[in-house]
Amino acid sequence: MPYPTRAILTGHTRGLGAAIAAQLLAQDIEVLGLSRTANAGLAARYPGALSQVELDLADLSALTGWLAGDTLIRFMDGAQQVLLVNNAGVLAPVGGLADQSPAQVARAVSVNVAAPMMLAAAVAECAARSGGQSPDTRIVHVSSGAARNAYPGWSIYCATKAALDQHARAVALDGSPLLRISSVAPGVVDTDMQAEIRGTGLDRFPLRERFDALKRDGQLATPEDSACKLVQHLLSDTFGSHPTADIRDLP
Ligand code: NAP
């Protein structure tokens, strides 16, 4: 029996993405995970429901080539509902302009902005091409509080996440009846990315001590809690009623 709901999820190997994948699979939603590596644990638990593609989303030629193939359309074929979770993201480069290597800037813009937008367009196109009734299509960009507040040292991260927010706002105005989109901030989550933040020198990220304190005081959300709220929101009737949202404000 094919799965009626199917999800394309980037960054499913670690952190928030791995927890989102586990939530989706536990709810009988088939997952196509895109990351540079594979998630062996989930593959062993859900051998029929998880497929994985090892792809560096910073390599836009590789992504373009993959999208030109038929994996995505075959994965979506016959689904009643399709979810795209643009979760993969990178923080680096951190620091002032003179500390940002152009190669790192290009990687961040590719992973955080270009790849989510390319995947969104490709999923919408496959949904429009699918035979019979087009699926209920829902796109969530994993945004950040940094999209909405500026932080010193995080100019690239703030700008790339703000781009996702604005993309969602404009796509929502296109008013496609079967497509919903929202750019959702997941809270401050205890993942490798938080460890990377705490490992940054104060010279590059002057607000670091704030994040040290969140960890020390047990204030970080677990990936499981954030994933649970995000997936619940994504599957709810109200998803997409606001093009931007913050998990911490959801009921
Ligand atoms: P994480 O622990 O660093 O995990 C990042 C995930 O993205 C991994 O699965 C990684 O997989 C994948 N990824 C990274 N670079 C990639 C690339 N070039 N190509 C393909 N996949 C790539 O990060 P996280 O904390 O879970 O963050 C998930 C999302 O939440 C990100 O968009 C982040 O900006 C956002 N966010 C996080 C926090 C937080 O407090 N943690 C707060 C706000 C927003 P591979 O290494 O296998 O490729």
Side-chain angles (χ1 to χ4, degrees), residues 11-17 34-37 55-58 86-90 107 111 142-145 157 161 186-194:
H12 69 297
T13 54
R14 291 184 277 121
L16 181 61
L34 308 180
S35 297
R36 289 168 301 180
T37 59
L55 198 59
D56 181 354
L57 294 172
N86 278 317
N87 163 76
V90 292
R107 281 190 71 80
V111 176
V142 177
S143 181
S144 168
Y157 188 67
K161 291 297 181 179
V188 191
V189 193
D190 198 357
T191 65
D192 292 351
M193 190 178 277
Q194 282 298 319

PDB file of all heavy atoms in Angstrom, residues 11-17 34-37 55-58 86-90 107 111 142-145 157 161 186-194, ligand 1:
ATOM      1  N   GLY A  11      18.757  17.628   5.343  1.00  0.00           N
ATOM      2  CA  GLY A  11      19.442  17.635   6.642  1.00  0.00           C
ATOM      3  C   GLY A  11      18.809  16.678   7.633  1.00  0.00           C
ATOM      4  O   GLY A  11      18.593  17.032   8.795  1.00  0.00           O
ATOM      5  N   HIS A  12      18.577  15.429   7.189  1.00  0.00           N
ATOM      6  CA  HIS A  12      17.855  14.450   8.028  1.00  0.00           C
ATOM      7  C   HIS A  12      18.806  13.588   8.852  1.00  0.00           C
ATOM      8  O   HIS A  12      18.362  12.643   9.489  1.00  0.00           O
ATOM      9  CB  HIS A  12      17.004  13.532   7.133  1.00  0.00           C
ATOM     10  CG  HIS A  12      17.846  12.605   6.294  1.00  0.00           C
ATOM     11  ND1 HIS A  12      18.723  13.068   5.339  1.00  0.00           N
ATOM     12  CD2 HIS A  12      17.981  11.262   6.310  1.00  0.00           C
ATOM     13  CE1 HIS A  12      19.347  12.040   4.788  1.00  0.00           C
ATOM     14  NE2 HIS A  12      18.917  10.929   5.361  1.00  0.00           N
ATOM     15  N   THR A  13      20.096  13.904   8.825  1.00  0.00           N
ATOM     16  CA  THR A  13      21.065  12.984   9.450  1.00  0.00           C
ATOM     17  C   THR A  13      21.376  13.328  10.900  1.00  0.00           C
ATOM     18  O   THR A  13      21.827  12.464  11.648  1.00  0.00           O
ATOM     19  CB  THR A  13      22.378  12.989   8.648  1.00  0.00           C
ATOM     20  OG1 THR A  13      22.835  14.344   8.517  1.00  0.00           O
ATOM     21  CG2 THR A  13      22.166  12.386   7.266  1.00  0.00           C
ATOM     22  N   ARG A  14      21.192  14.580  11.269  1.00  0.00           N
ATOM     23  CA  ARG A  14      21.596  15.014  12.617  1.00  0.00           C
ATOM     24  C   ARG A  14      20.606  16.043  13.128  1.00  0.00           C
ATOM     25  O   ARG A  14      19.804  16.588  12.372  1.00  0.00           O
ATOM     26  CB  ARG A  14      22.978  15.685  12.566  1.00  0.00           C
ATOM     27  CG  ARG A  14      24.107  14.763  12.263  1.00  0.00           C
ATOM     28  CD  ARG A  14      25.447  15.483  12.328  1.00  0.00           C
ATOM     29  NE  ARG A  14      25.768  16.200  11.105  1.00  0.00           N
ATOM     30  CZ  ARG A  14      25.996  17.498  11.007  1.00  0.00           C
ATOM     31  NH1 ARG A  14      25.947  18.258  12.093  1.00  0.00           N
ATOM     32  NH2 ARG A  14      26.283  18.069   9.854  1.00  0.00           N
ATOM     33  N   GLY A  15      20.723  16.348  14.430  1.00  0.00           N
ATOM     34  CA  GLY A  15      20.041  17.492  15.014  1.00  0.00           C
ATOM     35  C   GLY A  15      18.535  17.510  14.781  1.00  0.00           C
ATOM     36  O   GLY A  15      17.846  16.480  14.846  1.00  0.00           O
ATOM     37  N   LEU A  16      18.043  18.697  14.487  1.00  0.00           N
ATOM     38  CA  LEU A  16      16.599  18.872  14.311  1.00  0.00           C
ATOM     39  C   LEU A  16      16.070  18.016  13.165  1.00  0.00           C
ATOM     40  O   LEU A  16      14.998  17.411  13.278  1.00  0.00           O
ATOM     41  CB  LEU A  16      16.320  20.367  14.042  1.00  0.00           C
ATOM     42  CG  LEU A  16      14.865  20.759  13.843  1.00  0.00           C
ATOM     43  CD1 LEU A  16      14.027  20.446  15.079  1.00  0.00           C
ATOM     44  CD2 LEU A  16      14.762  22.248  13.497  1.00  0.00           C
ATOM     45  N   GLY A  17      16.816  17.944  12.074  1.00  0.00           N
ATOM     46  CA  GLY A  17      16.347  17.192  10.903  1.00  0.00           C
ATOM     47  C   GLY A  17      16.180  15.710  11.193  1.00  0.00           C
ATOM     48  O   GLY A  17      15.216  15.083  10.730  1.00  0.00           O
ATOM     49  N   LEU A  34      17.608  14.177   2.069  1.00  0.00           N
ATOM     50  CA  LEU A  34      18.733  14.681   1.277  1.00  0.00           C
ATOM     51  C   LEU A  34      19.755  15.298   2.223  1.00  0.00           C
ATOM     52  O   LEU A  34      19.453  16.288   2.894  1.00  0.00           O
ATOM     53  CB  LEU A  34      18.284  15.772   0.304  1.00  0.00           C
ATOM     54  CG  LEU A  34      17.116  15.542  -0.645  1.00  0.00           C
ATOM     55  CD1 LEU A  34      16.880  16.791  -1.495  1.00  0.00           C
ATOM     56  CD2 LEU A  34      17.373  14.364  -1.549  1.00  0.00           C
ATOM     57  N   SER A  35      20.935  14.704   2.292  1.00  0.00           N
ATOM     58  CA  SER A  35      22.035  15.234   3.105  1.00  0.00           C
ATOM     59  C   SER A  35      23.327  14.758   2.467  1.00  0.00           C
ATOM     60  O   SER A  35      23.294  13.947   1.548  1.00  0.00           O
ATOM     61  CB  SER A  35      21.972  14.695   4.548  1.00  0.00           C
ATOM     62  OG  SER A  35      20.799  15.097   5.206  1.00  0.00           O
ATOM     63  N   ARG A  36      24.461  15.203   3.010  1.00  0.00           N
ATOM     64  CA  ARG A  36      25.733  14.724   2.441  1.00  0.00           C
ATOM     65  C   ARG A  36      26.032  13.298   2.868  1.00  0.00           C
ATOM     66  O   ARG A  36      26.784  12.594   2.223  1.00  0.00           O
ATOM     67  CB  ARG A  36      26.882  15.634   2.895  1.00  0.00           C
ATOM     68  CG  ARG A  36      26.862  16.994   2.247  1.00  0.00           C
ATOM     69  CD  ARG A  36      27.809  17.925   2.921  1.00  0.00           C
ATOM     70  NE  ARG A  36      27.454  18.067   4.340  1.00  0.00           N
ATOM     71  CZ  ARG A  36      28.095  18.818   5.201  1.00  0.00           C
ATOM     72  NH1 ARG A  36      29.154  19.500   4.807  1.00  0.00           N
ATOM     73  NH2 ARG A  36      27.689  18.902   6.459  1.00  0.00           N
ATOM     74  N   THR A  37      25.470  12.888   4.019  1.00  0.00           N
ATOM     75  CA  THR A  37      25.723  11.536   4.532  1.00  0.00           C
ATOM     76  C   THR A  37      24.369  10.832   4.693  1.00  0.00           C
ATOM     77  O   THR A  37      23.335  11.385   4.334  1.00  0.00           O
ATOM     78  CB  THR A  37      26.460  11.595   5.893  1.00  0.00           C
ATOM     79  OG1 THR A  37      25.640  12.326   6.811  1.00  0.00           O
ATOM     80  CG2 THR A  37      27.817  12.285   5.764  1.00  0.00           C
ATOM     81  N   LEU A  55      23.830  14.093  -1.071  1.00  0.00           N
ATOM     82  CA  LEU A  55      23.982  15.242  -1.960  1.00  0.00           C
ATOM     83  C   LEU A  55      24.512  16.406  -1.133  1.00  0.00           C
ATOM     84  O   LEU A  55      24.014  16.661  -0.039  1.00  0.00           O
ATOM     85  CB  LEU A  55      22.577  15.583  -2.495  1.00  0.00           C
ATOM     86  CG  LEU A  55      22.429  16.431  -3.740  1.00  0.00           C
ATOM     87  CD1 LEU A  55      23.123  15.808  -4.944  1.00  0.00           C
ATOM     88  CD2 LEU A  55      20.932  16.594  -4.055  1.00  0.00           C
ATOM     89  N   ASP A  56      25.523  17.097  -1.670  1.00  0.00           N
ATOM     90  CA  ASP A  56      26.005  18.311  -1.019  1.00  0.00           C
ATOM     91  C   ASP A  56      25.178  19.476  -1.562  1.00  0.00           C
ATOM     92  O   ASP A  56      25.322  19.867  -2.722  1.00  0.00           O
ATOM     93  CB  ASP A  56      27.497  18.508  -1.327  1.00  0.00           C
ATOM     94  CG  ASP A  56      28.067  19.744  -0.649  1.00  0.00           C
ATOM     95  OD1 ASP A  56      27.290  20.514  -0.033  1.00  0.00           O
ATOM     96  OD2 ASP A  56      29.292  19.950  -0.738  1.00  0.00           O
ATOM     97  N   LEU A  57      24.330  20.028  -0.722  1.00  0.00           N
ATOM     98  CA  LEU A  57      23.427  21.097  -1.177  1.00  0.00           C
ATOM     99  C   LEU A  57      24.167  22.407  -1.449  1.00  0.00           C
ATOM    100  O   LEU A  57      23.573  23.354  -1.969  1.00  0.00           O
ATOM    101  CB  LEU A  57      22.300  21.313  -0.158  1.00  0.00           C
ATOM    102  CG  LEU A  57      21.341  20.122  -0.016  1.00  0.00           C
ATOM    103  CD1 LEU A  57      20.387  20.343   1.155  1.00  0.00           C
ATOM    104  CD2 LEU A  57      20.544  19.890  -1.302  1.00  0.00           C
ATOM    105  N   ALA A  58      25.454  22.462  -1.096  1.00  0.00           N
ATOM    106  CA  ALA A  58      26.249  23.635  -1.478  1.00  0.00           C
ATOM    107  C   ALA A  58      26.701  23.532  -2.932  1.00  0.00           C
ATOM    108  O   ALA A  58      27.152  24.515  -3.507  1.00  0.00           O
ATOM    109  CB  ALA A  58      27.472  23.760  -0.569  1.00  0.00           C
ATOM    110  N   ASN A  86      12.531  22.120   4.271  1.00  0.00           N
ATOM    111  CA  ASN A  86      13.858  22.672   3.986  1.00  0.00           C
ATOM    112  C   ASN A  86      14.541  22.959   5.316  1.00  0.00           C
ATOM    113  O   ASN A  86      14.454  24.066   5.859  1.00  0.00           O
ATOM    114  CB  ASN A  86      13.716  23.959   3.158  1.00  0.00           C
ATOM    115  CG  ASN A  86      13.534  23.677   1.688  1.00  0.00           C
ATOM    116  OD1 ASN A  86      14.211  22.812   1.119  1.00  0.00           O
ATOM    117  ND2 ASN A  86      12.626  24.400   1.057  1.00  0.00           N
ATOM    118  N   ASN A  87      15.204  21.915   5.851  1.00  0.00           N
ATOM    119  CA  ASN A  87      15.790  22.020   7.186  1.00  0.00           C
ATOM    120  C   ASN A  87      17.300  22.238   7.166  1.00  0.00           C
ATOM    121  O   ASN A  87      17.831  22.910   8.054  1.00  0.00           O
ATOM    122  CB  ASN A  87      15.454  20.741   7.967  1.00  0.00           C
ATOM    123  CG  ASN A  87      16.329  20.570   9.184  1.00  0.00           C
ATOM    124  OD1 ASN A  87      16.127  21.241  10.202  1.00  0.00           O
ATOM    125  ND2 ASN A  87      17.341  19.706   9.093  1.00  0.00           N
ATOM    126  N   ALA A  88      18.014  21.672   6.187  1.00  0.00           N
ATOM    127  CA  ALA A  88      19.488  21.769   6.200  1.00  0.00           C
ATOM    128  C   ALA A  88      19.901  23.235   6.221  1.00  0.00           C
ATOM    129  O   ALA A  88      19.324  24.067   5.513  1.00  0.00           O
ATOM    130  CB  ALA A  88      20.077  21.084   4.972  1.00  0.00           C
ATOM    131  N   GLY A  89      20.876  23.551   7.053  1.00  0.00           N
ATOM    132  CA  GLY A  89      21.347  24.929   7.127  1.00  0.00           C
ATOM    133  C   GLY A  89      22.731  24.964   7.730  1.00  0.00           C
ATOM    134  O   GLY A  89      23.134  24.032   8.429  1.00  0.00           O
ATOM    135  N   VAL A  90      23.455  26.029   7.416  1.00  0.00           N
ATOM    136  CA  VAL A  90      24.798  26.197   8.000  1.00  0.00           C
ATOM    137  C   VAL A  90      24.914  27.587   8.612  1.00  0.00           C
ATOM    138  O   VAL A  90      24.270  28.539   8.157  1.00  0.00           O
ATOM    139  CB  VAL A  90      25.911  25.978   6.949  1.00  0.00           C
ATOM    140  CG1 VAL A  90      25.955  24.523   6.501  1.00  0.00           C
ATOM    141  CG2 VAL A  90      25.763  26.898   5.748  1.00  0.00           C
ATOM    142  N   ARG A 107      28.978  28.968   0.024  1.00  0.00           N
ATOM    143  CA  ARG A 107      28.396  27.720   0.555  1.00  0.00           C
ATOM    144  C   ARG A 107      27.134  28.027   1.366  1.00  0.00           C
ATOM    145  O   ARG A 107      26.110  27.373   1.230  1.00  0.00           O
ATOM    146  CB  ARG A 107      29.407  26.983   1.450  1.00  0.00           C
ATOM    147  CG  ARG A 107      30.455  26.200   0.680  1.00  0.00           C
ATOM    148  CD  ARG A 107      31.274  25.304   1.612  1.00  0.00           C
ATOM    149  NE  ARG A 107      30.513  24.171   2.137  1.00  0.00           N
ATOM    150  CZ  ARG A 107      30.290  23.057   1.464  1.00  0.00           C
ATOM    151  NH1 ARG A 107      30.776  22.900   0.251  1.00  0.00           N
ATOM    152  NH2 ARG A 107      29.573  22.079   2.001  1.00  0.00           N
ATOM    153  N   VAL A 111      23.464  26.620   0.481  1.00  0.00           N
ATOM    154  CA  VAL A 111      22.726  25.662   1.335  1.00  0.00           C
ATOM    155  C   VAL A 111      21.488  26.318   1.935  1.00  0.00           C
ATOM    156  O   VAL A 111      20.412  25.714   1.967  1.00  0.00           O
ATOM    157  CB  VAL A 111      23.641  25.135   2.477  1.00  0.00           C
ATOM    158  CG1 VAL A 111      22.848  24.227   3.421  1.00  0.00           C
ATOM    159  CG2 VAL A 111      24.842  24.396   1.907  1.00  0.00           C
ATOM    160  N   VAL A 142      12.900  25.956   7.376  1.00  0.00           N
ATOM    161  CA  VAL A 142      13.327  26.103   8.769  1.00  0.00           C
ATOM    162  C   VAL A 142      14.136  27.396   8.860  1.00  0.00           C
ATOM    163  O   VAL A 142      15.244  27.511   8.338  1.00  0.00           O
ATOM    164  CB  VAL A 142      14.112  24.876   9.265  1.00  0.00           C
ATOM    165  CG1 VAL A 142      14.598  25.123  10.700  1.00  0.00           C
ATOM    166  CG2 VAL A 142      13.226  23.627   9.217  1.00  0.00           C
ATOM    167  N   SER A 143      13.513  28.388   9.477  1.00  0.00           N
ATOM    168  CA  SER A 143      14.085  29.721   9.576  1.00  0.00           C
ATOM    169  C   SER A 143      14.824  29.853  10.908  1.00  0.00           C
ATOM    170  O   SER A 143      15.335  28.855  11.452  1.00  0.00           O
ATOM    171  CB  SER A 143      12.948  30.738   9.451  1.00  0.00           C
ATOM    172  OG  SER A 143      13.424  32.044   9.511  1.00  0.00           O
ATOM    173  N   SER A 144      14.853  31.045  11.444  1.00  0.00           N
ATOM    174  CA  SER A 144      15.579  31.283  12.703  1.00  0.00           C
ATOM    175  C   SER A 144      15.141  32.628  13.257  1.00  0.00           C
ATOM    176  O   SER A 144      14.707  33.510  12.496  1.00  0.00           O
ATOM    177  CB  SER A 144      17.085  31.319  12.403  1.00  0.00           C
ATOM    178  OG  SER A 144      17.793  31.804  13.511  1.00  0.00           O
ATOM    179  N   GLY A 145      15.299  32.789  14.559  1.00  0.00           N
ATOM    180  CA  GLY A 145      15.110  34.116  15.148  1.00  0.00           C
ATOM    181  C   GLY A 145      16.066  35.118  14.491  1.00  0.00           C
ATOM    182  O   GLY A 145      15.772  36.319  14.422  1.00  0.00           O
ATOM    183  N   TYR A 157      24.364  34.484   8.136  1.00  0.00           N
ATOM    184  CA  TYR A 157      23.278  33.629   8.646  1.00  0.00           C
ATOM    185  C   TYR A 157      21.968  34.424   8.721  1.00  0.00           C
ATOM    186  O   TYR A 157      20.912  33.955   8.270  1.00  0.00           O
ATOM    187  CB  TYR A 157      23.681  33.079  10.015  1.00  0.00           C
ATOM    188  CG  TYR A 157      22.732  32.044  10.564  1.00  0.00           C
ATOM    189  CD1 TYR A 157      22.607  30.798   9.952  1.00  0.00           C
ATOM    190  CD2 TYR A 157      21.962  32.308  11.701  1.00  0.00           C
ATOM    191  CE1 TYR A 157      21.734  29.840  10.453  1.00  0.00           C
ATOM    192  CE2 TYR A 157      21.099  31.354  12.222  1.00  0.00           C
ATOM    193  CZ  TYR A 157      20.987  30.116  11.592  1.00  0.00           C
ATOM    194  OH  TYR A 157      20.116  29.173  12.084  1.00  0.00           O
ATOM    195  N   LYS A 161      18.660  33.572   6.323  1.00  0.00           N
ATOM    196  CA  LYS A 161      17.387  33.144   6.931  1.00  0.00           C
ATOM    197  C   LYS A 161      16.278  34.162   6.634  1.00  0.00           C
ATOM    198  O   LYS A 161      15.121  33.789   6.425  1.00  0.00           O
ATOM    199  CB  LYS A 161      17.560  32.940   8.439  1.00  0.00           C
ATOM    200  CG  LYS A 161      18.431  31.734   8.792  1.00  0.00           C
ATOM    201  CD  LYS A 161      17.804  30.432   8.308  1.00  0.00           C
ATOM    202  CE  LYS A 161      18.626  29.214   8.667  1.00  0.00           C
ATOM    203  NZ  LYS A 161      18.014  27.949   8.218  1.00  0.00           N
ATOM    204  N   PRO A 186      12.586  27.540  14.713  1.00  0.00           N
ATOM    205  CA  PRO A 186      12.371  26.366  15.567  1.00  0.00           C
ATOM    206  C   PRO A 186      12.727  26.547  17.043  1.00  0.00           C
ATOM    207  O   PRO A 186      12.679  25.572  17.791  1.00  0.00           O
ATOM    208  CB  PRO A 186      13.314  25.336  14.931  1.00  0.00           C
ATOM    209  CG  PRO A 186      14.472  26.154  14.450  1.00  0.00           C
ATOM    210  CD  PRO A 186      13.904  27.492  14.045  1.00  0.00           C
ATOM    211  N   GLY A 187      13.072  27.761  17.476  1.00  0.00           N
ATOM    212  CA  GLY A 187      13.548  27.927  18.849  1.00  0.00           C
ATOM    213  C   GLY A 187      15.045  27.666  18.909  1.00  0.00           C
ATOM    214  O   GLY A 187      15.706  27.504  17.879  1.00  0.00           O
ATOM    215  N   VAL A 188      15.585  27.655  20.116  1.00  0.00           N
ATOM    216  CA  VAL A 188      17.025  27.421  20.290  1.00  0.00           C
ATOM    217  C   VAL A 188      17.188  25.962  20.705  1.00  0.00           C
ATOM    218  O   VAL A 188      16.750  25.561  21.782  1.00  0.00           O
ATOM    219  CB  VAL A 188      17.620  28.384  21.342  1.00  0.00           C
ATOM    220  CG1 VAL A 188      19.143  28.309  21.320  1.00  0.00           C
ATOM    221  CG2 VAL A 188      17.183  29.818  21.058  1.00  0.00           C
ATOM    222  N   VAL A 189      17.792  25.180  19.822  1.00  0.00           N
ATOM    223  CA  VAL A 189      17.713  23.717  19.923  1.00  0.00           C
ATOM    224  C   VAL A 189      19.105  23.125  20.170  1.00  0.00           C
ATOM    225  O   VAL A 189      20.087  23.552  19.549  1.00  0.00           O
ATOM    226  CB  VAL A 189      17.111  23.126  18.618  1.00  0.00           C
ATOM    227  CG1 VAL A 189      16.723  21.672  18.822  1.00  0.00           C
ATOM    228  CG2 VAL A 189      15.907  23.936  18.134  1.00  0.00           C
ATOM    229  N   ASP A 190      19.154  22.130  21.043  1.00  0.00           N
ATOM    230  CA  ASP A 190      20.432  21.545  21.463  1.00  0.00           C
ATOM    231  C   ASP A 190      20.975  20.593  20.394  1.00  0.00           C
ATOM    232  O   ASP A 190      20.717  19.392  20.419  1.00  0.00           O
ATOM    233  CB  ASP A 190      20.204  20.785  22.782  1.00  0.00           C
ATOM    234  CG  ASP A 190      21.502  20.528  23.518  1.00  0.00           C
ATOM    235  OD1 ASP A 190      22.567  20.890  22.977  1.00  0.00           O
ATOM    236  OD2 ASP A 190      21.441  19.977  24.625  1.00  0.00           O
ATOM    237  N   THR A 191      21.723  21.161  19.438  1.00  0.00           N
ATOM    238  CA  THR A 191      22.253  20.379  18.314  1.00  0.00           C
ATOM    239  C   THR A 191      23.723  20.726  18.108  1.00  0.00           C
ATOM    240  O   THR A 191      24.276  21.588  18.806  1.00  0.00           O
ATOM    241  CB  THR A 191      21.510  20.737  17.010  1.00  0.00           C
ATOM    242  OG1 THR A 191      21.809  22.106  16.708  1.00  0.00           O
ATOM    243  CG2 THR A 191      20.005  20.563  17.129  1.00  0.00           C
ATOM    244  N   ASP A 192      24.308  20.100  17.085  1.00  0.00           N
ATOM    245  CA  ASP A 192      25.708  20.422  16.730  1.00  0.00           C
ATOM    246  C   ASP A 192      25.877  21.902  16.417  1.00  0.00           C
ATOM    247  O   ASP A 192      26.934  22.482  16.663  1.00  0.00           O
ATOM    248  CB  ASP A 192      26.130  19.628  15.480  1.00  0.00           C
ATOM    249  CG  ASP A 192      26.237  18.136  15.744  1.00  0.00           C
ATOM    250  OD1 ASP A 192      26.161  17.725  16.920  1.00  0.00           O
ATOM    251  OD2 ASP A 192      26.392  17.376  14.763  1.00  0.00           O
ATOM    252  N   MET A 193      24.827  22.521  15.846  1.00  0.00           N
ATOM    253  CA  MET A 193      24.944  23.941  15.494  1.00  0.00           C
ATOM    254  C   MET A 193      25.118  24.797  16.743  1.00  0.00           C
ATOM    255  O   MET A 193      25.882  25.762  16.756  1.00  0.00           O
ATOM    256  CB  MET A 193      23.723  24.405  14.682  1.00  0.00           C
ATOM    257  CG  MET A 193      23.908  25.784  14.091  1.00  0.00           C
ATOM    258  SD  MET A 193      22.527  26.340  13.086  1.00  0.00           S
ATOM    259  CE  MET A 193      22.899  25.581  11.524  1.00  0.00           C
ATOM    260  N   GLN A 194      24.425  24.423  17.836  1.00  0.00           N
ATOM    261  CA  GLN A 194      24.609  25.154  19.102  1.00  0.00           C
ATOM    262  C   GLN A 194      26.022  24.940  19.643  1.00  0.00           C
ATOM    263  O   GLN A 194      26.626  25.863  20.197  1.00  0.00           O
ATOM    264  CB  GLN A 194      23.562  24.722  20.131  1.00  0.00           C
ATOM    265  CG  GLN A 194      22.196  25.337  19.907  1.00  0.00           C
ATOM    266  CD  GLN A 194      22.207  26.857  20.022  1.00  0.00           C
ATOM    267  OE1 GLN A 194      22.851  27.426  20.900  1.00  0.00           O
ATOM    268  NE2 GLN A 194      21.495  27.522  19.134  1.00  0.00           N
TER     269      GLN A 194
HETATM  270  P1  NAP B   1      22.984  20.673  12.578  1.00  0.00           P
HETATM  271  O1  NAP B   1      22.926  19.913  13.827  1.00  0.00           O
HETATM  272  O2  NAP B   1      24.268  21.362  12.206  1.00  0.00           O
HETATM  273  O3  NAP B   1      22.519  19.715  11.360  1.00  0.00           O
HETATM  274  C1  NAP B   1      22.532  20.215  10.052  1.00  0.00           C
HETATM  275  C2  NAP B   1      21.924  19.208   9.099  1.00  0.00           C
HETATM  276  O4  NAP B   1      22.020  19.794   7.788  1.00  0.00           O
HETATM  277  C3  NAP B   1      22.667  17.889   9.060  1.00  0.00           C
HETATM  278  O5  NAP B   1      21.748  16.826   8.894  1.00  0.00           O
HETATM  279  C4  NAP B   1      23.562  18.026   7.841  1.00  0.00           C
HETATM  280  O6  NAP B   1      23.739  16.758   7.232  1.00  0.00           O
HETATM  281  C5  NAP B   1      22.745  18.935   6.933  1.00  0.00           C
HETATM  282  N1  NAP B   1      23.626  19.713   6.059  1.00  0.00           N
HETATM  283  C6  NAP B   1      24.525  20.649   6.437  1.00  0.00           C
HETATM  284  N2  NAP B   1      25.209  21.071   5.357  1.00  0.00           N
HETATM  285  C7  NAP B   1      24.721  20.394   4.304  1.00  0.00           C
HETATM  286  C8  NAP B   1      25.047  20.378   2.919  1.00  0.00           C
HETATM  287  N3  NAP B   1      26.025  21.135   2.412  1.00  0.00           N
HETATM  288  N4  NAP B   1      24.353  19.558   2.102  1.00  0.00           N
HETATM  289  C9  NAP B   1      23.387  18.753   2.592  1.00  0.00           C
HETATM  290  N5  NAP B   1      23.038  18.721   3.899  1.00  0.00           N
HETATM  291  C10 NAP B   1      23.714  19.527   4.734  1.00  0.00           C
HETATM  292  O7  NAP B   1      21.892  21.831  12.556  1.00  0.00           O
HETATM  293  P2  NAP B   1      20.520  21.988  13.371  1.00  0.00           P
HETATM  294  O8  NAP B   1      20.796  22.781  14.582  1.00  0.00           O
HETATM  295  O9  NAP B   1      19.822  20.694  13.469  1.00  0.00           O
HETATM  296  O10 NAP B   1      19.745  22.978  12.381  1.00  0.00           O
HETATM  297  C11 NAP B   1      18.694  22.565  11.523  1.00  0.00           C
HETATM  298  C12 NAP B   1      18.060  23.827  10.969  1.00  0.00           C
HETATM  299  O11 NAP B   1      17.519  24.597  12.046  1.00  0.00           O
HETATM  300  C13 NAP B   1      19.044  24.740  10.241  1.00  0.00           C
HETATM  301  O12 NAP B   1      18.422  25.302   9.105  1.00  0.00           O
HETATM  302  C14 NAP B   1      19.326  25.831  11.258  1.00  0.00           C
HETATM  303  O13 NAP B   1      19.720  27.030  10.653  1.00  0.00           O
HETATM  304  C15 NAP B   1      17.991  25.931  11.948  1.00  0.00           C
HETATM  305  N6  NAP B   1      18.034  26.515  13.294  1.00  0.00           N
HETATM  306  C16 NAP B   1      18.685  25.863  14.295  1.00  0.00           C
HETATM  307  C17 NAP B   1      18.691  26.431  15.567  1.00  0.00           C
HETATM  308  C18 NAP B   1      19.370  25.763  16.714  1.00  0.00           C
HETATM  309  O14 NAP B   1      19.326  26.338  17.834  1.00  0.00           O
HETATM  310  N7  NAP B   1      19.980  24.584  16.542  1.00  0.00           N
HETATM  311  C19 NAP B   1      18.037  27.648  15.807  1.00  0.00           C
HETATM  312  C20 NAP B   1      17.392  28.278  14.747  1.00  0.00           C
HETATM  313  C21 NAP B   1      17.387  27.696  13.510  1.00  0.00           C
HETATM  314  P3  NAP B   1      25.146  16.209   6.672  1.00  0.00           P
HETATM  315  O15 NAP B   1      26.232  16.706   7.551  1.00  0.00           O
HETATM  316  O16 NAP B   1      24.939  14.725   6.686  1.00  0.00           O
HETATM  317  O17 NAP B   1      25.210  16.760   5.283  1.00  0.00           O
END
